Amino acid sequence: MRSLSLPTAERSIWLNWVLSIVVSLVFFAYCLSGEGRDERGRAIIGTACMYGASALIILMNIPGYFCNTAMTNPAIFSNCLHLVYNLYFIAVLTAIATLHRPR
């Protein structure tokens, strides 16, 4: 069980939780900014979310593959869900940064 020490560590749980808040705030800050609310910004957000949905399909299969391990401990399961959430928003924010070209 030595290999399961990182997903069950309290620091990693808090780190995933804080990272979830940060990536959510960055995404919503862009969505609610003047740039994200104009026509081009909405197109960028829509395209980025489409790429994010593609990434989410792949990412949701990863915890499913390790379901027996993830279900052994609630901390591991929580970290798996936070990891999928964080990677989804990181994929969306990366797509936004790639698609966004300053005027």
Side-chain angles (χ1 to χ4, degrees):
M1 284 291 165
R2 182 84 173 128
S3 63
L4 297 178
S5 63
L6 182 62
T8 59
E10 190 172 337
R11 283 186 184 168
S12 66
I13 293 169
W14 283 104
L15 179 68
N16 270 330
W17 187 75
V18 168
L19 187 61
S20 296
I21 300 257
V22 168
V23 295
S24 297
L25 288 176
V26 169
F27 176 73
F28 291 125
Y30 179 76
C31 288
L32 298 174
S33 70
E35 229 174 85
R37 291 173 54 187
D38 67 356
E39 185 177 315
R40 187 168 187 287
R42 288 180 192 258
I44 289 173
I45 291 171
T47 305
C49 286
M50 183 187 67
Y51 292 142
S54 301
L56 186 62
I57 291 169
I58 295 167
L59 292 170
M60 288 305 292
N61 287 309
I62 294 170
Y65 183 73
F66 297 107
C67 191
N68 289 335
T69 305
M71 292 301 224
T72 59
N73 189 335
I76 296 173
F77 185 69
S78 174
N79 272 338
C80 283
L81 292 180
H82 276 288
L83 183 65
V84 168
Y85 181 84
N86 291 339
L87 290 176
Y88 165 75
F89 270 113
I90 289 171
V92 169
L93 292 173
T94 303
I96 288 173
T98 304
L99 295 170
H100 176 70
R101 292 184 204 103
R103 294 176 190 180

